[in-house]
Amino acid sequence: MTAQSKAISNPDRPRRAVALISGGLDSMLAAKVIQEQGIEVQGLNFYTGFCVEGHTHAIRAKDRAKPKRNNALWVAEQLGIKLNIIDVSEEYKDIVLNPRYGYGQHLNPCLDCKIFMVNKAQAWGFMEENGFDFIITGEVIGQRPKSQRKETMPLIARESGAHDRLLRPLCAQHLPETLPEREGWVDRDALYGFHGRNRKPQMALAEQFGLTDYAQPAGGCCFLTDKSYSAKLADLWSARGKRDYELDDIMLLKVGRHIRPSETYKLIVGREEGENNYLEGYRKQFAHLRCESHRGPLTLIDGAPNAADIEQAARIAARYSQGRDAAEVTMSVHHPNGVSEVLTVTPYAPQEIPERWHV
Amino acid sequence: MSEAQLDTRGMLCPIPVIRTQDRVRELAAGDVLEIVATDPGVLHDIPSWCRVHGHELLETSETNNEIRIRLRVCAP
Ligand code: SF4
């Protein structure tokens, strides 16, 4: 049984809701639906370190020219609501590393993630000084095979501690009545009964509200739903022999070509100018390679390579320089302790870099 | 009224926005905050954040890949 909350104090004051805003269409519509009912809504957005927002757009040179936006802020502007962005990247590690309910298709711990976010929202929103009455999300039953199902809705409500103060305006009509509905703060009949993966109802509702140009992320709201990103994260764990990460690790997984010739090290090769510039920011922390005789990318070495590994790394990195077809290429190796050396190597031929090295 | 500084060089969006938000919370209405950044995303995100929260954007400038944004904190 869900615990039934009682509405607190001063019954006449206007009710306020905190909305989880991902930057996508569903959470935007959920917030709008509640706003339309005369409730004051404020947005909350969580920065986990895996967010698709920003980062890579800013890294790759070709994307730097394009104007890019933070979708959560954009949504807040469209709706005329305040938005708090909270950095949860440290605490979020535990969700990624030890999800109670496991992973989705890749390393996305969606169910634990939802519980975590709703829990954070209620901790923040129900604090006396913030004074919110309930939480809204853009969840839709059946939208995601694992995390957005009829059975997961009450589970999230319970495990997050939000109980019947968690309202999903887009599918509320398929769910038990919540406190805001029972108390008459919102009109249940004016909420929705969306379900399944069909996005037409959401698009129609967006049109009705005059909302256009909204973001429609494929798959999910974060990099953990991305197959190749998850493969890189799994590789990091297996090579290090432990499941852990630092923020820098997960940032670097978004950049460059990752090549692992051995358990002891991997290479991160910049693919273009923007990535090289970004990798430059890490040159004090990582051993790295530069091509001295030709133009070439910056290559970071992650791990604990021995002398033979370094030579191999230089030959691989040389393969991605303009000297790839030369008999000899001069590479410099810079160690984090400040020591540098110069190696003359023969670049690997393409067939000498097997497909399985590409993470 | 004071003038505060925030250095977000090397950080990628949305971190500069989060740092701005947290710094502004410590300031009083009327104070000015100058943000230095390297991610061009801030040219979009910080003005947008100012509009959302009602702070006044004073100026933005860009030299040698370094971006400076000044804003005036407004009452909540
Ligand atoms: S896609 Fe990522 S951010 Fe979205 S619910 Fe799943 S784990 Fe959380």
Side-chain angles (χ1 to χ4, degrees):
Chain A
M1 256 329 277
T2 335
Q4 289 214 338
S5 316
K6 286 244 157 30
I8 22 158
S9 63
N10 184 4
D12 297 328
R13 79 172 166 80
R15 297 294 161 182
R16 305 170 75 217
V18 42
L20 296 191
I21 298 291
S22 68
L25 177 59
D26 292 0
S27 56
M28 181 187 202
L29 288 174
K32 179 77 179 166
V33 165
I34 295 306
Q35 256 185 320
E36 290 286 297
Q37 295 210 14
I39 304 272
E40 184 201 324
V41 176
Q42 279 196 28
L44 208 51
N45 174 259
F46 294 105
Y47 173 72
T48 64
F50 295 99
C51 310
V52 181
E53 290 304 329
H55 301 312
T56 37
H57 303 278
I59 297 169
R60 302 197 73 169
K62 69 173 168 53
D63 294 332
R64 280 175 84 99
K66 273 192 239 158
K68 63 132 210 132
R69 67 181 190 204
N70 176 304
N71 283 317
L73 277 170
W74 181 84
V75 165
E77 270 198 86
Q78 298 301 301
L79 300 180
I81 62 173
K82 293 209 163 142
L83 178 80
N84 272 281
I85 310 176
I86 302 186
D87 179 359
V88 293
S89 54
E90 266 307 311
E91 296 160 83
Y92 195 74
K93 282 184 187 171
D94 191 46
I95 305 300
V96 179
L97 298 171
N98 308 302
R100 277 179 64 192
Y101 296 99
Y103 298 105
Q105 200 179 358
H106 302 294
L107 287 175
N108 47 314
C110 292
L111 194 44
D112 290 81
C113 174
K114 288 261 156 63
I115 294 168
F116 172 84
M117 288 184 180
V118 175
N119 172 267
K120 284 268 143 204
Q122 66 121 23
W124 179 85
F126 300 164
M127 278 191 326
E128 190 123 32
E129 69 219 63
N130 291 331
F132 289 90
D133 299 287
F134 61 102
I135 298 163
I136 51 188
T137 70
E139 289 164 289
V140 169
I141 293 172
Q143 175 100 252
R144 303 241 180 261
K146 194 161 162 129
S147 58
Q148 298 193 30
R149 285 179 292 123
K150 187 138 193 177
E151 307 79 67
T152 61
M153 299 284 165
L155 181 89
I156 294 168
R158 193 175 64 236
E159 298 284 300
S160 65
H163 299 286
D164 61 354
R165 287 176 183 267
L166 174 59
L167 175 67
R168 286 86 165 203
L170 302 187
C171 61
Q173 291 181 350
H174 294 298
L175 293 168
E177 221 177 28
T178 58
L179 179 76
E181 295 160 278
R182 226 173 32 242
E183 294 290 330
W185 305 338
V186 302
D187 174 7
R188 182 173 170 96
D189 294 335
L191 302 176
Y192 293 84
F194 297 165
H195 62 92
R197 311 192 77 156
N198 179 7
R199 312 220 10 102
K200 292 224 176 77
Q202 280 95 316
M203 284 148 91
L205 187 59
E207 198 179 322
Q208 194 184 313
F209 286 139
L211 301 170
T212 51
D213 195 26
Y214 42 81
Q216 290 263 49
C221 23
C222 84
F223 266 103
L224 293 167
T225 57
D226 182 77
K227 186 174 172 211
S228 90
Y229 186 89
S230 285
K232 289 189 190 118
L233 184 57
D235 166 76
L236 188 91
W237 291 342
S238 94
R240 291 189 185 167
K242 64 173 196 287
R243 292 157 49 86
D244 202 359
Y245 65 82
E246 295 302 323
L247 204 53
D248 280 339
D249 293 323
I250 61 173
M251 292 304 194
L252 284 170
L253 296 183
K254 299 176 185 173
V255 192
R257 210 186 289 280
H258 290 238
I259 301 170
R260 178 177 297 288
S262 113
E263 284 294 288
T264 49
Y265 80 100
K266 79 167 171 183
L267 299 177
I268 306 172
V269 189
R271 286 174 296 195
E272 40 82 282
E273 192 198 336
E275 290 193 339
N276 286 333
N277 289 339
Y278 183 68
L279 294 176
E280 287 286 348
Y282 288 91
R283 66 178 190 272
K284 292 207 174 73
Q285 283 156 266
F286 287 84
H288 55 280
L289 293 154
R290 288 181 199 280
C291 185
E292 300 296 336
S293 53
H294 299 80
R295 278 176 59 87
L298 175 64
T299 301
L300 301 187
I301 309 177
D302 180 28
N306 60 30
D309 291 338
I310 298 272
E311 160 126 26
Q312 183 185 45
R315 294 188 66 192
I316 298 168
R319 154 90 206 123
Y320 295 99
S321 76
Q322 298 287 323
R324 62 178 70 90
D325 298 319
E328 283 188 334
V329 168
T330 312
M331 302 292 294
S332 58
V333 190
H334 307 264
H335 297 276
N337 61 8
V339 176
S340 300
E341 52 183 315
V342 172
L343 295 176
T344 301
V345 296
T346 307
Y348 269 155
Q351 65 275 16
E352 288 177 287
I353 304 179
E355 196 45 45
R356 66 185 153 80
W357 287 4
H358 288 272
V359 188
Chain B
M1 312 259 153
S2 67
E3 176 125 11
Q5 290 262 342
L6 177 68
D7 184 357
T8 69
R9 284 174 296 182
M11 298 177 196
L12 297 177
C13 283
I15 300 288
V17 186
I18 298 176
R19 296 279 188 274
T20 300
Q21 169 192 279
D22 295 347
R23 192 74 182 85
V24 162
R25 207 170 277 145
E26 301 162 0
L27 299 175
D31 289 351
V32 171
L33 177 65
E34 183 182 60
I35 301 135
V36 190
T38 45
D39 179 353
V42 298
L43 288 169
H44 194 280
D45 290 358
I46 292 181
S48 168
W49 181 82
C50 285
R51 288 191 296 273
V52 162
H53 291 274
H55 303 299
E56 185 188 348
L57 187 73
L58 299 174
E59 60 173 298
T60 61
S61 61
E62 198 174 353
T63 41
N64 305 324
N65 287 331
E66 218 170 85
I67 298 155
R68 270 164 207 279
I69 300 181
R70 291 176 71 242
L71 60 87
R72 180 177 290 120
V73 180
C74 293

